[in-house]
Amino acid sequence: MTSARPESDDDDGLEAAVDQAISACGGDMRSTIRALIVANEFLENEVGELMKAVARAHSRGRFQTYSG
């Protein structure tokens, strides 16, 4: 699948990040994918913990929502 938008500097940055991840894993694609899955799971857990903390703070009146 191709994108309708032209390539940009963001794409170059993404390609550089991909190359860096592969290089960090010694060129082994399976190790790279495994490392990215582990990192993603870690970040998902962090987001979940932050959401719980914000919910607790909000329920205790320590967090005011933005009313714009």
Side-chain angles (χ1 to χ4, degrees):
M1 180 186 327
T2 60
S3 175
R5 65 184 174 89
E7 288 193 27
S8 67
D9 290 338
D10 290 339
D11 293 334
D12 292 339
L14 178 59
E15 289 302 315
V18 169
D19 291 341
Q20 184 179 8
I22 294 169
S23 177
C25 292
D28 183 356
M29 297 296 188
R30 288 185 61 86
S31 292
T32 304
I33 293 168
R34 185 180 301 111
L36 293 172
I37 290 170
V38 168
N40 191 55
E41 288 177 354
F42 172 79
L43 293 173
E44 286 177 352
N45 287 333
E46 286 291 304
V47 168
E49 293 300 316
L50 289 170
M51 289 174 68
K52 288 178 195 175
V54 168
R56 282 191 302 268
H58 179 69
S59 69
R60 293 179 180 158
R62 296 181 185 165
F63 181 81
Q64 301 298 319
T65 58
Y66 178 72
S67 59

